[in-house]
Structures are given as C-alpha cells and as structure tokens.
Amino acid sequence: GGGGGGRGMVFFSRPPVSGQRYTSSDWLRNMRSLLLQSTVLTRISGHLLFNVVVALLGASWFYGSPDTFLNLGAAGHVMVGTALSLLLVFRTSSAYDRFWEARKILQAVVDNCRGLARVAPTALPSRQGIDFARMIVVFPYMLRLHLTNRGQAPVGDSPEMHDVLRFFDNDQLKTVDSHFSKPFATLSIMNQMLHHSNAKFPGEAMEETLSLLPQRTVLQRNVNNLAANVGACERIQGCPVPLYYSRHLSRFLTIWSATLPLVLAPMLHWWSVPVIAAICWSLFSIEEVGHMVEEPFYALPDDQVQTRRVADVIKRDTVNIFKQQLGVDIETRKLLDRRHGGAVGRQGGVVRPLMMSGMAYA
C-alpha cells in the first residue's frame, strides 16, 4: 500500500515462521538433547529397557555358565537382519509418503483458499463478500481442529481458537459447533452464501448477475475442491498402514533383538550390553519414527505438518487481500482510510459507502 508521509497502509505483513529445519551445524545440540529431550527415545524407552535387561541376562548367563550357554553364531542373525532392514526401510518409506501427501493436500487447501479470497471481492456484493471472506479465514482452523482429533468439543473450548471466534456470527458458531465435521459445516455455510450464484443477489441487476456468473462459478468450484481436500485428509487420518504389517514387523524386531545377546555375548562379553542397547535404540527409533510420521496430523510433535502455519497464512492473505482491494477490515467490518490506515465510520453524519457490484457497504 502507499500513502503520504510514510504513513501508508501495510497490506502484507511478515510471514509466519516456517517449520524447523535440521542443519549439519546442529549435530552437537542434537546429541545433547538425546537423553532428556528426545521424543522418540521417550516413546521407545519401555521396549529399549526390556532389551537391555535381556542383554544383561544373556551376558550373566555366559559368565555364569559358559558350558551351557546357547551360542547361536552370527550367520543366522546377519541373514535375518538383512530382511529386517528391508522391512524397516519399506515401513518408514510408506509412512513418509503419507506425510508428504498430507503436506501436498494442505498446500492445495492454501491454493484453493487464496483463489477464493482473490475472486470473492469482485464476484460478490461487498457485504456478502466480506461474510464469505470471514468463512475463508475460519475454514483452515476448523480443519486443524478436525484433523487433530479435537473436533468434537466446542470451538470456544480450544484456547488457540479464541482469536478466530471474532470471525463467527453467533448463528454460524452454533451451526459449526453442532456439526460432527466442523470443516464441512464451514463449507456448508459458504455454499449457502453462494446459493445465489446462478441467480441474482437482492438489489442486483440481472445484467450484472450474468456478467459475474463465471467468477461465482469459480468460487463454487474452489469450495468443492476444499471439500475434496477435507476428504483426502480424512483418508490419511482414518486409514493407517495395515495393522498386520506393523504388528509382524514389531514381533520380528523384538525377537531378533532379544536373541542378539546369544550372538554377541561370547564375542564382546560385558561390552555386549551397551552395544546391544545402541543397536536396539537405532532400530527401535527407525520403527517409531515410521509410526509417528504415519499419522502426520496429530502424532508428530511441534505440528511438523504445519496445520497451524497453513491456517495463519490463509488468514493473513485473506485479510490483506480485502484490505488491499476493498479497503475493509473483514474482522471488524470497518472501512479503512487508505491514506492513514485508520478505520472510517460516519463523516458528518453520512456513512461513507464502499461501492461494490452495485451495492453500498455501510
């Protein structure tokens, strides 16, 4: 935006912080955080402790009664370990594919919402366009609640939703709270706002309706695309990697690692205990990372799939597009003075109108 004296409106603010990225310079901090801050280590601690105890028992057996010790030899574990490695790699790769697909779907949500925000100011009368834009802002937050298994509670019960409540009317909030799927309830409200897309809005000339019909068709198509995006997210959320595969891999890994002392104790003696602990930690961690990445919307810590950032980006862009194109703050429904960035109300008892599609927004 621009204006005199350096006081022009700033339409596009600093983007939200992106996801954390690991760099090679983080290796020391990463190692220091292993014991006290590692989420993966916490999740596998029970399984790991079991195998450490088994390794201690194996080493004690070898030292206490070497003549009766069952030495399995290394050949069998090497051969079976190759198959186990392939299973772990395939499991982790399948899980990462689900994570990346989820991220691509969320990017499609961003693209569709930006398309709605870009077309709505010129396709709808100002009042309806602002109401529609408020639902664009609300939608990604409702999707986030739905995908993080918090969709059954009222919107107001979530502390992070308090800022979003300002974009709801009372009736809209009741409708969304009463619906099983909050994102679909939001899309239903948007569909109701577009139900005149093939007819004219009150006070709108038929010629204008016909000229704007292609743009309103674009809005409807983007709303339908958002509904498809919700369904794609629910497919990832509700259809995990087959349970039989995960259970077989877990059993295979447990048996292989539990019999490892029978291979390493004769070779490494008491040193077999820390060596087995390190081997089990590495393999169990790979398996657990696969379990975590498999459920990208709520199992990963720190919102790695970026649902909150997606919602914040859509909110920022929608608000700024309407400020730029119409000079309206959609949160407060107030007109903005483009020269000074302030809200404009009544001037001399006369409401300053915003003309849009033949309608005056007061």
Side-chain angles (χ1 to χ4, degrees), residues 56-73:
L56 282 170
L57 293 176
S60 300
W61 182 13
F62 176 75
Y63 265 90
S65 181
D67 295 335
T68 62
F69 184 80
L70 180 61
N71 189 346
L72 295 182

Side-chain angles (χ1 to χ4, degrees), residues 160-179:
E160 67 181 75
M161 294 293 127
H162 289 170
D163 291 340
V164 183
L165 291 175
R166 296 195 293 266
F167 291 88
F168 277 113
D169 293 337
N170 289 333
D171 292 341
Q172 293 171 347
L173 184 59
K174 291 179 181 178
T175 299
V176 171
D177 277 339
S178 64
H179 205 283

Side-chain angles (χ1 to χ4, degrees), residues 114-125:
R114 282 174 171 168
L116 290 171
R118 188 178 63 252
V119 176
T122 57
L124 300 173

Side-chain angles (χ1 to χ4, degrees), residues 5-290:
R7 295 181 296 178
M9 292 180 63
V10 179
F11 292 117
F12 295 96
S13 58
R14 185 177 180 181
V17 178
S18 61
Q20 296 180 350
R21 298 179 184 273
Y22 179 81
T23 63
S24 56
S25 60
D26 294 332
W27 71 270
L28 182 58
R29 182 179 59 183
N30 193 42
M31 293 302 297
R32 287 201 303 261
S33 66
L34 174 61
L35 295 179
L36 299 179
Q37 300 177 4
S38 174
T39 302
V40 175
L41 181 60
T42 301
R43 293 169 66 110
I44 67 171
S45 57
H47 199 181
L48 183 60
L49 181 61
F50 168 78
N51 281 89
V52 170
V53 172
V54 171
L56 282 170
L57 293 176
S60 300
W61 182 13
F62 176 75
Y63 265 90
S65 181
D67 295 335
T68 62
F69 184 80
L70 180 61
N71 189 346
L72 295 182
H77 265 67
V78 170
M79 295 176 61
V80 175
T82 302
L84 179 62
S85 299
L86 293 175
L87 287 174
L88 279 173
V89 169
F90 179 76
R91 174 70 176 80
T92 307
S93 177
S94 299
Y96 183 77
D97 287 343
R98 292 166 57 86
F99 171 85
W100 190 242
E101 183 182 3
R103 192 62 193 89
K104 290 192 292 185
I105 295 170
L106 290 178
Q107 183 59 50
V109 170
V110 174
D111 295 340
N112 285 316
C113 287
R114 282 174 171 168
L116 290 171
R118 188 178 63 252
V119 176
T122 57
L124 300 173
S126 57
R127 188 180 300 276
Q128 286 83 358
I130 291 168
D131 291 339
F132 190 80
R134 289 161 68 92
M135 290 298 99
I136 298 175
V137 170
V138 162
F139 170 77
Y141 291 98
M142 298 303 100
L143 180 62
R144 171 174 163 79
L145 284 180
H146 184 62
L147 295 178
T148 52
N149 288 340
R150 294 176 292 165
Q152 303 308 308
V155 176
D157 288 354
S158 178
E160 67 181 75
M161 294 293 127
H162 289 170
D163 291 340
V164 183
L165 291 175
R166 296 195 293 266
F167 291 88
F168 277 113
D169 293 337
N170 289 333
D171 292 341
Q172 293 171 347
L173 184 59
K174 291 179 181 178
T175 299
V176 171
D177 277 339
S178 64
H179 205 283
F180 175 79
S181 174
K182 287 179 171 52
F184 270 115
T186 306
L187 293 177
S188 296
I189 295 173
M190 297 168 74
N191 270 324
Q192 292 173 6
M193 293 179 179
L194 292 174
H195 79 283
H196 290 297
S197 61
N198 293 322
K200 67 185 188 70
F201 282 95
E204 186 178 63
M206 182 58 69
E207 294 79 5
E208 187 175 14
T209 300
L210 294 176
S211 66
L212 294 175
L213 188 57
Q215 297 182 54
R216 293 174 183 173
T217 302
V218 171
L219 292 179
Q220 187 63 63
R221 182 168 62 245
N222 281 357
V223 171
N224 293 340
N225 289 341
L226 287 177
N229 296 149
V230 174
C233 289
E234 290 177 337
R235 171 172 50 81
I236 294 177
Q237 183 188 39
C239 185
V241 173
L243 179 62
Y244 299 107
Y245 184 91
S246 299
R247 292 175 66 180
H248 175 71
L249 176 59
S250 178
R251 291 166 180 161
F252 191 179
L253 182 58
T254 299
I255 294 173
W256 185 88
S257 58
T259 54
L260 200 56
L262 302 179
V263 177
L264 296 183
M267 294 185 290
L268 302 177
H269 307 296
W270 288 110
W271 281 105
S272 64
V273 177
V275 170
I276 289 173
I279 293 173
C280 291
W281 166 75
S282 62
L283 295 178
F284 295 168
S285 296
I286 294 173
E287 182 193 26
E288 188 59 33
V289 167

